[in-house]
């Protein structure tokens, strides 16, 4: 059987370099290109890549995806920075390239995907909910893509269930003291040397609290999700947002 031809964008980065190793080690895949900043995207088409794994930076991801989708190359995207505007633009490119698939995964680790699922399930049952994400200090964006998505899913679950807003008597606060407001859910971002990627969802009700915590201790935690995404994305034309859709969790 022929191997899946995979390219990695952001190949010299923290997660990209790990993805290069994972693709090289996968028996059903061939690494056909490994691009860093400044390398020409034409290498992708010339290499015959079927899937591009996009692990660059929020300022690079759109141009890379425009090229991939325009050339019918499926993409598995871990890069953060997704706004409604960006998603609409991407959907426009995909509409013009029927058959091409893009998976955007705010987090490729199974534990983080399950954290989001558990948080969604628990959110309507507690008066209060806040998200704390903790990352390495080299991370350029805050809050994390995972925390933003988690808060959005929590907010949607509470809205669907008719849960009232969380109580909060704060009338005076230093800027930022109550975190960022993501769809009404406070999200707090910690940057600390020694950490990689961690998240807590704190839920509180009368006389009880529930804490859902996930820790990615090594970039290897993201690799099974990336490889799964690369294997599945070609059979999922259009945009898929969230690895859970390939895990049959939703
Ligand atoms: N979804 C997930 O599970 C997951 C996990 C970890 C990191 N991330 C995200 O992945 C992205 C990368 O994270 P990182 O920690 O590896 O960052 P990093 O800065 O270590 O790596 C990014 C790399 O991309 C390169 N790059 C920038 N523009 C490029 C371009 N146009 N073409 C090719 N390469 C380019 C940079 O030079 C750098 O080497 C971030 O957005 C991060 O939040 C996602
Ligand atoms: O290290 C990073 O940067 C990470 N980014 C993603 C995010 O913003 O959620 C996933 C976790 C690691």
């Amino acid at each position: 059987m022929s191997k899946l031809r995979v390219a990695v964008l952001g190949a010299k980065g923290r997660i990209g370099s790990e993805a290069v190793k994972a693709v090289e080690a996968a028996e059903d895949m061939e690494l056909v290109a490994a691009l860093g900043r400044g390398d020409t995207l034409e290498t992708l088409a010339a290499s015959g890549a079927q899937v591009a794994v996009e692990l660059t930076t929020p300022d690079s991801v759109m141009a890379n995806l425009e090229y991939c989708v325009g050339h019918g190359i499926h993409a598995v995207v871990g890069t953060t920075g997704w706004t409604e505007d960006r998603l609409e633009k991407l959907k426009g490119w995909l509409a013009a390239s029927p058959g091409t698939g893009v998976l955007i995964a705010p987090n490729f680790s199974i534990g983080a995907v399950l954290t989001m699922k558990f948080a969604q399930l628990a959110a309507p049952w507690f008066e209060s909910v806040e998200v704390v994400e903790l990352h390495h200090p080299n991370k350029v964006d805050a809050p994390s893509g995972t925390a933003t998505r988690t808060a959005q899913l929590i907010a949607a679950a509470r809205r669907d269930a008719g849960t009232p807003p969380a109580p909060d008597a704060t009338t005076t606060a230093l800027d930022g003291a109550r975190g960022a407001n993501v769809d009404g859910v406070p999200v707090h971002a910690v940057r600390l040397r020694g950490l990689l990627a961690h998240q807590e969802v704190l839920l509180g009700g009368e006389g009880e609290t529930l804490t859902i915590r996930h820790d990615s201790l090594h970039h290897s935690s993201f690799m099974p999700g990336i490889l799964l995404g690369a294997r599945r994305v070609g059979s999922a034309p259009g945009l898929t947002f969230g690895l859970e859709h390939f895990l049959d969790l939703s």
Side-chain angles (χ1 to χ4, degrees):
M1 211 171 84
S2 62
K3 294 188 179 193
L4 186 66
R5 299 171 66 79
V6 179
V8 176
L9 298 168
K12 294 192 177 126
R14 281 177 290 270
I15 184 169
S17 53
E18 194 72 20
V20 164
K21 287 190 265 171
V23 170
E24 282 175 332
E27 287 184 355
D28 58 339
M29 295 182 191
E30 182 185 355
L31 181 76
V32 294
L35 273 58
R37 194 187 274 278
D39 290 343
T40 171
L41 287 171
E42 293 307 329
T43 306
L44 289 181
S47 70
Q50 295 166 290
V51 177
V53 176
E54 217 290 349
L55 301 165
T56 64
T57 50
D59 64 324
S60 293
V61 63
M62 291 305 280
N64 288 343
L65 288 184
E66 185 174 17
Y67 179 92
C68 289
V69 174
H71 287 77
I73 299 168
H74 310 295
V76 171
V77 184
T79 305
T80 45
W82 291 99
T83 59
E84 277 309 315
D85 278 359
R86 286 182 161 215
L87 289 172
E88 284 312 310
K89 205 175 263 187
L90 174 58
K91 284 179 196 165
W93 299 333
L94 283 165
S97 182
T100 306
V102 172
L103 165 69
I104 297 174
N107 202 303
F108 285 110
S109 89
I110 181 71
V113 173
L114 288 173
T115 298
M116 288 187 252
K117 250 337 203 203
F118 297 155
Q120 240 179 314
L121 186 66
W125 297 97
F126 291 84
E127 267 186 81
S128 306
V129 56
E130 308 212 0
V131 177
V132 184
E133 56 95 328
L134 310 91
H135 281 80
H136 59 90
N138 302 104
K139 185 166 176 58
V140 295
D141 56 317
S144 70
T146 307
T148 302
R149 183 66 179 155
T150 305
Q152 289 167 341
L153 293 171
I154 287 169
R158 287 166 76 87
R159 207 163 40 238
D160 291 350
T163 312
D168 181 358
T170 309
T171 51
T172 60
L174 277 183
D175 270 359
R178 294 288 296 119
N181 180 331
V182 179
D183 292 358
V185 179
V187 179
H188 310 269
V190 175
R191 296 292 172 264
L192 205 69
R193 185 68 69 204
L195 296 183
L196 175 50
H198 317 257
Q199 176 165 287
E200 288 191 358
V201 180
L202 310 174
L203 300 122
E206 201 56 51
E208 64 174 333
T209 66
L210 169 65
T211 302
I212 306 168
R213 180 172 172 114
H214 175 256
D215 299 276
S216 265
L217 305 171
H218 191 272
H219 280 98
S220 54
S221 62
F222 305 114
M223 296 306 126
I226 289 178
L227 297 182
L228 174 74
R231 291 183 183 111
R232 295 278 300 269
V233 70
S235 324
L239 176 63
T240 302
F241 198 96
L243 185 67
E244 62 273 21
H245 298 289
F246 288 178
L247 295 172
D248 306 321
L249 293 177
S250 61

